[in-house]
Amino acid sequence: MKRKYNYFLLWLLHFFVFSAFGQEINLYEQFNGRFDFTFIGNTLNQFENNNLGGVTCVINTASTATLALQPTDVIEKAYLYWAGSGPGDFEVKLNDVAITPDRTFNLVQSSSNLLFFSAFKDITSQVQATGNGEYTLSELDLTEIITSYCGNGTNFAGWAILIVYQNDTLPLNQLNVYDGLDYIGGGNPTLDFSLDNLNVIDAEGAKIGFIAWEGDSFIAVNETLRINGVILSNPPLNPADNAFNGTNSITESNELFNMDLDIYPIQNNIQPGDQSAEISLTSDQDFVMINTVVTKLNSQIPDATISIDQIYLTCNSATLTVDYTVYNLEATNPLPANTPIAIYANALLVGTTATTTVLAVNESESGSITLVLPDGIPAVFELLFAVDDTGNGLGVVIEINEDNNTASQEVNQLISPLIPPLDALVVCNEGFSKGTFNLHPLIDELMGDNLLEVTAHETLLDAELGCNVILNTGNYVVTSPQTIYFRIENQPCASIVELALLVKNCPPTVYNFISANGDGLNDFFFVDGLREIFLNFEIEIYNRWGKLLWKGNQYTEDWRGEVTTEPSLYGSLAPDGTYFYVLYLNDTNYPEALQGFLYITRE
């Protein structure tokens, strides 16, 4: 069923949707390699729209064009553009395949307030599958809207396919595709725009192509096309004063009514080193729309890029090793050896290296570098590798694209969780500074609610390596002072914390009953925790009248009741009864003497 245009809707679109006068011509895609381009396409006009000669205003809904590439040409990309008068027909067919646009363009002619449109579709897969042969665009149906445009001669429709192809016999080129929809004439006598992202190394073989709509062959009123201030022409097909005149540079046809597929050589219009070109168009009468511009420049230069492939971190270490790869992919010339590489951590230069070999087009080189981060780099930081960077942001190689030389990745350093210092564990001296320690309560505390694995080790190295684990943690006997180390497994890094094991001289226990009868039980005055702990002790025994009967120390035997200091009783045994002792520990923790009574019997 034919599509019907609603004129009320058309005028609503006119005033509300198409408020802009057009879309600027901007870079759409860039190709670097052994590439070239061509156009095919056809008009739907039956004759030029400014020379109707009384013929009824009609327009076709389909037309055909032929693609004839060389057998060795390989299609890289194919872009379909179609355009016409009115708000737009965006449902068409190409070789009976339904097409809807990826993008659309529109404009309003300022002098007439009439609407015009263009549409874009990437049809690469279809053209690659079809190859050479006929292409028919159909169902571009403007029949119900076109009569509104006949009065001022702006009734038109047409289509074109831009084909980018690769061939190993071609020189290395850079192709830039620019598109939008803007116009000259019809109230807008000049149109100026820049073609940026150029990289002119050698002007030989340079050319520029245009897809333009609505040009007329019989209107040549100050109609010029300039690049960098120089008028382009290709007579007799494209005279200097009528650049857009319904012609096809590829087929040399001058009957491409109201559309142009024009290609001009520009090797005399650009200079090596140029990064942009200025396009200027003028027309004092003819209304011409520019949809697509394509440039082809000889571009024998590399294009270095880099990737960060793998980062190797060590727990609690400022040293890291990074694997990386340098590429020369979207390039047209080899990348020299010794191309510098700079490495930054949070924008601070932390290392430099360089490529080692010449990288041909589409080749790469992998490398590895070990970095030591300086103090002040936080635990989380941005690691950035920059190829063609001498360490100050400046490069030494002219490249196709100077803005794709970096790769970055966030790095989270492996830092063990901080365990607060442990208070020393202190037990009583069991003699000669030995003590028995129960480590289980502390291990349970370190395990926490997450039940982390905790092991004890006698040396820091053993703890770091996780070897030589202390097994008898419930009954660990050591000579003080001793330091042991706990390893807490908290992935990905283990934490290590040290513990001091100390003994203290606990107060001795006095057994104050003596049965000196030789039966082997309680035969002498016994003080538990004394002889191997308080090595400088002194004991004095007194009778109830305060007479000193006996003195002992580390070098005397324990008291069995004998009298050794009272002359009148010297050599005798103290009778049964109650006596008093004074125990001097001679220890700074126990400055006062211990005193008490004891009872002796011989039964």
Side-chain angles (χ1 to χ4, degrees):
M1 183 178 68
K2 288 187 176 181
R3 290 174 288 271
K4 302 292 185 181
Y5 286 97
N6 184 311
Y7 284 91
F8 177 70
L9 176 60
L10 170 62
W11 291 109
L12 285 178
L13 288 169
H14 184 173
F15 287 109
F16 295 102
V17 178
F18 295 94
S19 57
F21 285 98
Q23 290 83 55
E24 292 183 355
I25 306 297
N26 289 308
L27 179 66
Y28 175 68
E29 190 162 6
Q30 184 179 88
F31 303 86
N32 292 284
R34 301 186 187 278
F35 295 110
D36 206 338
F37 72 93
T38 189
F39 300 124
I40 67 167
N42 207 345
T43 181
L44 272 65
N45 283 22
Q46 297 181 0
F47 32 72
E48 281 202 342
N49 58 20
N50 71 321
N51 192 26
L52 297 180
V55 179
T56 303
C57 183
V58 294
I59 194 165
N60 296 329
T61 61
S63 63
T64 299
T66 301
L67 177 62
L69 295 175
Q70 296 299 315
T72 55
D73 294 337
V74 178
I75 296 169
E76 178 75 12
K77 285 288 185 179
Y79 299 140
L80 171 65
Y81 294 86
W82 70 96
S85 308
D89 181 358
F90 301 123
E91 296 179 7
V92 299
K93 288 185 176 181
L94 181 68
N95 288 359
D96 292 324
V97 177
I99 301 290
T100 56
D102 298 331
R103 296 178 294 139
T104 61
F105 310 93
N106 58 76
L107 60 78
V108 178
Q109 186 192 49
S110 61
S111 62
S112 66
N113 282 332
L114 290 175
L115 312 178
F116 299 89
F117 79 95
S118 173
F120 167 92
K121 180 69 174 181
D122 186 332
I123 57 169
T124 301
S125 59
Q126 182 179 355
V127 176
Q128 286 174 335
T130 303
N132 286 339
E134 289 190 345
Y135 287 80
T136 299
L137 186 92
S138 59
E139 297 192 17
L140 177 50
D141 189 352
L142 306 184
T143 55
E144 295 191 17
I145 193 70
I146 205 67
T147 54
S148 301
Y149 291 79
C150 293
N152 71 345
T154 56
N155 50 298
F156 88 97
W159 62 277
I161 301 176
L162 163 63
I163 299 102
V164 178
Y165 61 90
Q166 184 268 340
N167 193 311
D168 290 339
T169 64
L170 292 171
L172 296 169
N173 296 313
Q174 180 194 76
L175 262 65
N176 283 358
V177 178
Y178 307 82
D179 63 17
L181 191 64
D182 216 335
Y183 74 97
I184 52 170
N188 186 34
T190 62
L191 173 62
D192 299 319
F193 57 89
S194 295
L195 303 180
D196 55 7
N197 287 280
L198 299 180
N199 197 9
V200 181
I201 301 300
D202 182 355
E204 182 178 354
K207 65 181 182 180
I208 190 168
F210 294 85
I211 299 177
W213 312 108
E214 225 297 301
D216 295 288
S217 62
F218 298 105
I219 304 177
V221 183
N222 191 30
E223 182 179 308
T224 64
L225 166 61
R226 289 178 170 86
I227 180 169
N228 291 337
V230 178
I231 294 178
L232 293 180
S233 65
N234 184 25
L237 203 63
N238 299 105
D241 62 349
N242 195 1
F244 301 104
N245 55 354
T247 56
N248 185 331
S249 297
I250 296 94
T251 64
E252 297 188 354
S253 169
N254 60 1
E255 294 185 351
L256 198 64
F257 304 129
N258 302 110
M259 63 175 286
D260 281 85
L261 300 178
D262 293 330
I263 298 176
Y264 298 90
I266 56 171
Q267 64 186 36
N268 297 324
N269 304 91
I270 56 174
Q271 300 295 325
D274 285 353
Q275 296 182 346
S276 65
E278 302 302 319
I279 303 296
S280 180
L281 302 98
T282 64
S283 177
D284 289 347
Q285 181 177 347
D286 195 12
F287 172 58
V288 178
M289 291 183 289
I290 303 298
N291 199 168
T292 310
V293 182
V294 188
T295 60
K296 186 204 78 171
L297 304 171
N298 193 330
S299 182
Q300 308 273 31
I301 53 177
D303 187 39
T305 58
I306 195 168
S307 66
I308 297 173
D309 302 328
Q310 185 70 45
I311 301 175
Y312 302 94
L313 300 169
T314 303
C315 289
N316 308 310
S317 173
T319 300
L320 66 156
T321 300
V322 184
D323 294 341
Y324 62 91
T325 301
V326 176
Y327 303 88
N328 188 31
L329 300 181
E330 300 295 327
T332 57
N333 213 38
L335 181 71
N338 298 315
T339 298
I341 301 169
I343 302 101
Y344 300 88
N346 277 5
L348 178 68
L349 183 68
V350 294
T352 59
T353 184
T355 61
T356 60
T357 61
V358 175
L359 296 182
V361 176
N362 293 325
E363 285 191 346
S364 63
E365 174 187 296
S366 295
S368 183
I369 186 171
T370 298
L371 306 169
V372 178
L373 301 176
D375 294 339
I377 298 298
V380 180
F381 66 93
E382 180 191 42
L383 181 69
L384 184 142
F385 274 56
V387 62
D388 192 24
D389 184 340
T390 56
N392 55 7
L394 301 177
V396 297
V397 179
I398 298 175
E399 298 182 67
I400 289 173
N401 186 352
E402 298 288 354
D403 298 323
N404 63 350
N405 296 125
T406 63
S408 63
Q409 186 171 324
E410 184 179 271
V411 177
N412 195 334
Q413 296 189 69
L414 302 181
I415 299 176
S416 300
L418 181 63
I419 305 297
L422 299 177
D423 293 334
L425 193 59
V426 181
V427 298
C428 290
N429 187 354
E430 297 173 1
F432 302 113
S433 296
K434 285 187 177 180
T436 300
F437 296 85
N438 180 10
L439 305 177
H440 285 170
L442 185 55
I443 290 174
D444 290 341
E445 181 181 341
L446 292 174
M447 289 175 63
D449 295 337
N450 295 326
L451 299 179
L452 303 174
E453 181 182 353
V454 179
T455 53
H457 306 264
E458 292 187 341
T459 69
L460 177 60
L461 180 60
D462 286 348
E464 291 173 343
L465 297 177
C467 64
N468 297 325
V469 176
I470 297 173
L471 299 178
N472 57 330
T473 50
N475 189 36
Y476 184 56
V477 179
V478 296
T479 299
S480 176
Q482 174 73 38
T483 299
I484 64 172
Y485 301 87
F486 290 104
R487 177 185 176 93
I488 302 100
E489 296 291 347
N490 193 353
Q491 296 300 324
C493 293
S495 296
I496 296 176
V497 62
E498 65 180 46
L499 173 69
L501 300 179
L502 304 176
V503 297
K504 66 178 180 180
N505 294 339
C506 297
T509 301
V510 178
Y511 293 89
N512 59 358
F513 176 77
I514 304 174
S515 59
N517 55 14
D519 63 359
L521 298 174
N522 302 320
D523 286 337
F524 54 85
F525 180 46
F526 176 65
V527 180
D528 189 19
L530 177 65
R531 285 194 173 273
E532 294 179 349
I533 298 170
F534 298 95
L535 302 181
N536 297 317
F537 74 90
E538 295 179 12
I539 297 179
E540 296 176 350
I541 304 296
Y542 295 87
N543 64 16
R544 68 183 66 186
W545 296 282
K547 293 289 185 178
L548 177 65
L549 304 180
W550 181 85
K551 292 179 65 175
N553 56 34
Q554 187 70 255
Y555 306 103
T556 61
E557 293 184 356
D558 294 313
W559 189 56
R560 296 175 181 270
E562 63 272 22
V563 178
T564 60
T565 58
E566 173 60 40
S568 62
L569 301 174
Y570 185 81
S572 64
L573 296 176
D576 293 359
T578 299
Y579 296 84
F580 297 90
Y581 68 86
V582 178
L583 174 57
Y584 300 96
L585 298 177
N586 293 322
D587 187 290
T588 56
N589 293 316
Y590 302 95
E592 301 294 331
L594 303 180
Q595 301 181 43
F597 69 92
L598 61 87
Y599 183 79
I600 187 170
T601 180
R602 302 189 185 280
E603 293 182 358

